[in-house]
Amino acid sequence: MNEVGKKGFPVIGVIFLALGIFKLIQGDGWVVWIVLGVLFGGLNAVSWRKNRQP
């Protein structure tokens, strides 16, 4: 049961991170979006392919 959350791609986290980067470029409030992206696993998208087992 613990592995269920680790097998999928962190779509929500990546969306929040992308929105945070977009807001950073615009100059708006971006900190909340970056924090949400990290909390929802957006940084795990970088190592997702390495940890995936065939």
Side-chain angles (χ1 to χ4, degrees):
M1 185 73 160
N2 291 337
E3 295 180 18
V4 172
K6 294 181 182 178
K7 291 190 179 195
F9 186 75
V11 176
I12 301 296
V14 172
I15 290 172
F16 281 145
L17 279 178
L19 186 61
I21 292 169
F22 181 71
K23 292 288 186 177
L24 175 67
I25 292 170
Q26 285 185 334
D28 292 336
W30 55 273
V31 175
V32 174
W33 298 111
I34 296 292
V35 169
L36 283 173
V38 170
L39 287 176
F40 279 102
L43 295 180
N44 289 335
V46 177
S47 63
W48 177 70
R49 287 189 155 251
K50 289 184 228 176
N51 293 338
R52 196 173 62 165
Q53 296 177 356

Coordinates of all heavy atoms in Angstrom, one line a residue:
M1 N 0.8 -1.2 0.0 CA 0.0 0.0 0.0 C 0.9 1.3 0.0 O 0.5 2.3 -0.5 CB -0.9 0.0 1.2 CG -1.9 1.1 1.3 SD -3.2 0.8 0.0 CE -4.4 1.8 0.6
N2 N 2.0 1.2 0.6 CA 2.9 2.3 0.6 C 3.5 2.7 -0.7 O 3.9 3.8 -1.0 CB 4.1 2.1 1.6 CG 3.6 2.1 3.0 OD1 2.5 2.7 3.3 ND2 4.3 1.5 3.9
E3 N 3.6 1.7 -1.6 CA 4.2 2.0 -2.9 C 3.2 2.6 -4.0 O 3.6 2.9 -5.0 CB 4.7 0.6 -3.5 CG 5.9 0.1 -2.6 CD 6.4 -1.2 -3.2 OE1 6.1 -1.5 -4.4 OE2 7.1 -1.9 -2.5
V4 N 1.9 2.7 -3.6 CA 0.9 3.1 -4.6 C 1.3 4.6 -5.0 O 1.2 4.9 -6.2 CB -0.5 3.1 -4.0 CG1 -1.5 3.7 -4.9 CG2 -0.9 1.6 -3.7
G5 N 1.6 5.4 -4.1 CA 1.9 6.8 -4.4 C 3.2 7.0 -5.1 O 3.5 8.1 -5.7
K6 N 4.1 6.0 -5.0 CA 5.4 6.2 -5.6 C 5.5 5.7 -7.0 O 6.5 6.0 -7.7 CB 6.4 5.4 -4.7 CG 6.6 5.9 -3.3 CD 7.6 5.1 -2.6 CE 7.7 5.7 -1.1 NZ 8.6 4.9 -0.4
K7 N 4.5 5.1 -7.5 CA 4.6 4.5 -8.9 C 4.2 5.5 -10.0 O 4.6 5.3 -11.1 CB 3.8 3.2 -9.0 CG 4.4 2.1 -8.2 CD 3.7 0.8 -8.4 CE 4.4 -0.3 -7.6 NZ 4.1 -1.6 -8.1
G8 N 3.3 6.4 -9.7 CA 2.8 7.3 -10.7 C 3.7 8.6 -10.8 O 4.5 8.9 -10.0
F9 N 3.4 9.2 -11.9 CA 4.1 10.5 -12.2 C 3.4 11.6 -11.5 O 2.2 11.7 -11.5 CB 4.1 10.8 -13.7 CG 4.9 12.0 -14.2 CD1 6.2 11.9 -14.2 CD2 4.2 13.2 -14.5 CE1 7.0 13.0 -14.6 CE2 4.9 14.3 -14.9 CZ 6.3 14.2 -14.9
P10 N 4.2 12.5 -10.8 CA 3.6 13.5 -9.9 C 3.0 14.7 -10.8 O 3.6 15.8 -10.8 CB 4.7 14.0 -9.0 CG 5.9 13.7 -9.8 CD 5.6 12.4 -10.6
V11 N 1.9 14.5 -11.4 CA 1.3 15.5 -12.3 C 1.0 16.8 -11.6 O 1.3 17.9 -12.1 CB 0.1 14.9 -13.0 CG1 -0.6 15.9 -13.9 CG2 0.4 13.7 -13.8
I12 N 0.3 16.7 -10.5 CA -0.2 17.9 -9.8 C 1.0 18.7 -9.3 O 1.0 19.9 -9.4 CB -1.0 17.5 -8.6 CG1 -2.2 16.7 -9.0 CG2 -1.4 18.7 -7.8 CD1 -3.2 17.5 -9.9
G13 N 2.1 18.0 -8.8 CA 3.3 18.8 -8.4 C 4.0 19.5 -9.5 O 4.4 20.6 -9.4
V14 N 4.0 18.8 -10.7 CA 4.7 19.5 -11.8 C 3.8 20.7 -12.3 O 4.4 21.7 -12.7 CB 4.8 18.4 -13.0 CG1 5.3 19.1 -14.2 CG2 5.8 17.4 -12.5
I15 N 2.5 20.5 -12.3 CA 1.7 21.7 -12.7 C 1.9 22.8 -11.7 O 2.0 24.0 -12.2 CB 0.2 21.2 -12.7 CG1 -0.1 20.3 -13.8 CG2 -0.8 22.4 -12.8 CD1 -1.4 19.6 -13.8
F16 N 1.9 22.6 -10.4 CA 2.1 23.7 -9.5 C 3.5 24.3 -9.7 O 3.7 25.5 -9.6 CB 2.0 23.2 -8.0 CG 0.5 23.1 -7.6 CD1 0.2 22.0 -6.8 CD2 -0.4 23.9 -8.0 CE1 -1.2 21.9 -6.3 CE2 -1.7 23.8 -7.6 CZ -2.1 22.8 -6.8
L17 N 4.5 23.5 -9.9 CA 5.9 24.1 -10.2 C 5.9 24.9 -11.4 O 6.5 26.0 -11.4 CB 6.9 22.9 -10.3 CG 7.4 22.4 -8.9 CD1 8.4 21.2 -9.2 CD2 8.1 23.4 -8.1
A18 N 5.3 24.4 -12.5 CA 5.2 25.2 -13.7 C 4.5 26.5 -13.5 O 4.9 27.6 -14.0 CB 4.5 24.4 -14.8
L19 N 3.4 26.5 -12.8 CA 2.7 27.7 -12.5 C 3.5 28.6 -11.6 O 3.5 29.9 -11.9 CB 1.4 27.3 -11.8 CG 0.4 28.5 -11.5 CD1 0.0 29.1 -12.8 CD2 -0.8 28.0 -10.7
G20 N 4.3 28.1 -10.7 CA 5.2 28.9 -9.9 C 6.2 29.6 -10.7 O 6.5 30.8 -10.5
I21 N 6.8 28.9 -11.7 CA 7.8 29.5 -12.6 C 7.2 30.5 -13.4 O 7.8 31.6 -13.7 CB 8.5 28.4 -13.4 CG1 9.3 27.5 -12.4 CG2 9.4 28.9 -14.5 CD1 9.8 26.2 -13.1
F22 N 6.0 30.3 -13.9 CA 5.3 31.2 -14.8 C 5.0 32.5 -14.0 O 5.2 33.6 -14.5 CB 4.0 30.6 -15.3 CG 3.2 31.5 -16.2 CD1 3.6 31.8 -17.4 CD2 2.0 32.0 -15.7 CE1 2.9 32.7 -18.2 CE2 1.2 32.9 -16.5 CZ 1.7 33.2 -17.8
K23 N 4.6 32.4 -12.7 CA 4.3 33.5 -11.9 C 5.6 34.3 -11.5 O 5.6 35.5 -11.4 CB 3.6 33.1 -10.6 CG 2.2 32.6 -10.8 CD 1.2 33.7 -11.2 CE -0.2 33.2 -11.3 NZ -1.1 34.3 -11.6
L24 N 6.7 33.6 -11.4 CA 8.0 34.2 -11.1 C 8.4 35.1 -12.3 O 8.9 36.2 -12.1 CB 9.0 33.1 -10.8 CG 10.5 33.6 -10.6 CD1 10.6 34.4 -9.4 CD2 11.4 32.4 -10.6
I25 N 8.2 34.6 -13.5 CA 8.6 35.4 -14.6 C 7.7 36.6 -14.8 O 8.2 37.7 -15.1 CB 8.4 34.5 -15.9 CG1 9.5 33.4 -15.9 CG2 8.6 35.3 -17.2 CD1 9.4 32.4 -16.9
Q26 N 6.4 36.5 -14.4 CA 5.5 37.6 -14.5 C 5.7 38.6 -13.3 O 5.3 39.8 -13.5 CB 4.1 37.2 -14.4 CG 3.5 36.5 -15.6 CD 2.1 36.2 -15.5 OE1 1.5 36.0 -14.4 NE2 1.4 36.1 -16.7
G27 N 6.3 38.2 -12.2 CA 6.6 39.1 -11.1 C 5.5 39.0 -10.1 O 5.5 39.8 -9.2
D28 N 4.5 38.1 -10.2 CA 3.5 38.0 -9.2 C 3.9 37.1 -8.1 O 5.0 36.7 -8.0 CB 2.2 37.4 -9.9 CG 1.6 38.3 -10.9 OD1 1.8 39.5 -10.8 OD2 0.9 37.8 -11.9
G29 N 2.9 36.8 -7.2 CA 3.2 35.9 -6.0 C 3.5 34.5 -6.5 O 2.6 33.8 -6.9
W30 N 4.7 34.1 -6.4 CA 5.1 32.8 -6.9 C 5.5 31.8 -5.8 O 5.5 30.6 -6.0 CB 6.2 32.9 -7.8 CG 7.4 33.6 -7.2 CD1 7.6 34.9 -7.2 CD2 8.5 33.0 -6.5 NE1 8.8 35.3 -6.6 CE2 9.4 34.1 -6.1 CE3 8.9 31.7 -6.2 CZ2 10.6 33.9 -5.4 CZ3 10.1 31.5 -5.5 CH2 10.9 32.6 -5.1
V31 N 5.7 32.3 -4.6 CA 6.3 31.4 -3.5 C 5.3 30.3 -3.1 O 5.7 29.1 -2.9 CB 6.6 32.3 -2.3 CG1 7.1 31.4 -1.1 CG2 7.7 33.3 -2.6
V32 N 4.0 30.6 -3.0 CA 3.0 29.7 -2.6 C 2.9 28.5 -3.7 O 2.8 27.4 -3.3 CB 1.6 30.3 -2.5 CG1 0.5 29.3 -2.3 CG2 1.7 31.4 -1.4
W33 N 3.0 28.9 -4.9 CA 2.9 27.8 -6.0 C 4.1 26.9 -6.0 O 4.0 25.7 -6.2 CB 2.7 28.5 -7.4 CG 1.5 29.3 -7.4 CD1 1.4 30.6 -7.5 CD2 0.1 28.8 -7.4 NE1 0.1 31.0 -7.6 CE2 -0.7 29.9 -7.5 CE3 -0.4 27.5 -7.3 CZ2 -2.1 29.7 -7.5 CZ3 -1.8 27.3 -7.3 CH2 -2.6 28.5 -7.4
I34 N 5.3 27.5 -5.7 CA 6.5 26.6 -5.7 C 6.4 25.7 -4.4 O 6.8 24.5 -4.5 CB 7.8 27.5 -5.6 CG1 7.9 28.4 -6.9 CG2 9.0 26.7 -5.3 CD1 8.2 27.6 -8.1
V35 N 6.0 26.2 -3.3 CA 5.9 25.4 -2.1 C 4.8 24.3 -2.3 O 5.1 23.1 -2.0 CB 5.5 26.3 -0.9 CG1 5.1 25.4 0.3 CG2 6.6 27.2 -0.5
L36 N 3.7 24.6 -3.0 CA 2.7 23.5 -3.3 C 3.3 22.5 -4.2 O 3.0 21.3 -4.1 CB 1.5 24.2 -3.8 CG 0.5 24.8 -2.8 CD1 -0.6 25.6 -3.6 CD2 0.0 23.8 -1.9
G37 N 4.1 23.0 -5.2 CA 4.7 22.0 -6.1 C 5.6 21.1 -5.5 O 5.7 19.9 -5.8
V38 N 6.4 21.6 -4.5 CA 7.3 20.7 -3.8 C 6.6 19.8 -2.9 O 6.9 18.6 -2.8 CB 8.3 21.6 -3.0 CG1 9.1 20.7 -2.0 CG2 9.2 22.4 -3.9
L39 N 5.5 20.3 -2.2 CA 4.8 19.4 -1.3 C 4.0 18.3 -2.1 O 3.9 17.2 -1.6 CB 3.7 20.2 -0.5 CG 4.3 21.1 0.6 CD1 3.2 21.9 1.2 CD2 5.0 20.3 1.6
F40 N 3.6 18.5 -3.3 CA 2.9 17.5 -4.1 C 3.8 16.7 -4.9 O 3.4 15.9 -5.8 CB 1.8 18.2 -4.9 CG 0.6 18.5 -4.2 CD1 0.3 19.8 -3.8 CD2 -0.3 17.5 -3.9 CE1 -0.9 20.1 -3.1 CE2 -1.5 17.8 -3.2 CZ -1.8 19.1 -2.8
G41 N 5.1 16.8 -4.7 CA 6.1 15.9 -5.3 C 6.6 16.4 -6.7 O 7.0 15.5 -7.5
G42 N 6.5 17.6 -7.0 CA 7.0 18.1 -8.3 C 8.5 17.9 -8.5 O 8.9 17.7 -9.7
L43 N 9.3 17.9 -7.5 CA 10.7 17.7 -7.7 C 11.0 16.2 -7.9 O 12.1 15.9 -8.4 CB 11.5 18.2 -6.4 CG 11.4 19.7 -6.2 CD1 12.2 20.1 -5.0 CD2 11.9 20.5 -7.4
N44 N 10.1 15.3 -7.6 CA 10.3 13.9 -7.8 C 10.2 13.6 -9.3 O 10.6 12.5 -9.7 CB 9.4 13.1 -7.0 CG 9.7 13.1 -5.6 OD1 10.8 13.3 -5.2 ND2 8.7 12.8 -4.7
A45 N 9.7 14.5 -10.1 CA 9.6 14.2 -11.5 C 10.9 14.1 -12.2 O 11.1 13.4 -13.2 CB 8.7 15.4 -12.2
V46 N 11.9 14.7 -11.6 CA 13.3 14.7 -12.2 C 13.8 13.3 -12.1 O 14.4 12.8 -13.0 CB 14.2 15.7 -11.5 CG1 15.6 15.6 -12.0 CG2 13.7 17.1 -11.7
S47 N 13.6 12.6 -10.9 CA 14.2 11.3 -10.7 C 13.2 10.2 -11.0 O 13.4 9.0 -10.7 CB 14.7 11.2 -9.3 OG 13.7 11.4 -8.4
W48 N 12.0 10.5 -11.5 CA 10.9 9.6 -11.7 C 11.4 8.4 -12.6 O 11.1 7.3 -12.4 CB 9.7 10.3 -12.2 CG 8.6 9.3 -12.5 CD1 7.8 8.7 -11.6 CD2 8.1 9.0 -13.8 NE1 6.9 7.9 -12.2 CE2 7.0 8.1 -13.6 CE3 8.4 9.3 -15.1 CZ2 6.3 7.5 -14.6 CZ3 7.7 8.7 -16.1 CH2 6.7 7.9 -15.9
R49 N 12.0 8.8 -13.7 CA 12.4 7.7 -14.7 C 13.5 6.8 -14.2 O 13.6 5.7 -14.5 CB 12.9 8.4 -16.0 CG 11.8 8.9 -16.8 CD 12.2 9.4 -18.2 NE 11.1 9.3 -19.0 CZ 10.9 8.4 -20.0 NH1 11.8 7.6 -20.2 NH2 9.8 8.5 -20.7
K50 N 14.4 7.4 -13.3 CA 15.5 6.6 -12.8 C 14.9 5.5 -11.8 O 15.4 4.4 -11.7 CB 16.5 7.4 -12.1 CG 17.3 8.3 -13.0 CD 18.3 9.0 -12.2 CE 18.3 10.5 -12.6 NZ 19.2 11.3 -11.8
N51 N 14.0 5.9 -11.0 CA 13.5 5.0 -10.0 C 12.4 4.0 -10.4 O 12.1 3.1 -9.7 CB 12.8 5.8 -8.8 CG 13.9 6.7 -8.1 OD1 15.1 6.3 -8.1 ND2 13.4 7.7 -7.5
R52 N 11.9 4.2 -11.7 CA 10.9 3.3 -12.2 C 11.5 2.0 -12.6 O 12.5 1.9 -13.2 CB 10.3 4.0 -13.4 CG 9.0 3.4 -13.8 CD 8.4 4.2 -14.9 NE 9.2 4.1 -16.1 CZ 8.9 4.5 -17.3 NH1 7.7 4.9 -17.5 NH2 9.7 4.4 -18.3
Q53 N 10.8 0.9 -12.1 CA 11.3 -0.4 -12.5 C 10.5 -1.0 -13.6 O 9.2 -0.9 -13.6 CB 11.2 -1.3 -11.2 CG 12.1 -0.9 -10.1 CD 11.9 -1.8 -8.9 OE1 11.1 -2.6 -8.9 NE2 12.8 -1.5 -7.9
P54 N 11.1 -1.7 -14.5 CA 10.3 -2.3 -15.7 C 9.5 -3.4 -15.3 O 9.6 -4.1 -14.3 CB 11.4 -2.7 -16.7 CG 12.7 -2.7 -15.9 CD 12.5 -1.9 -14.7

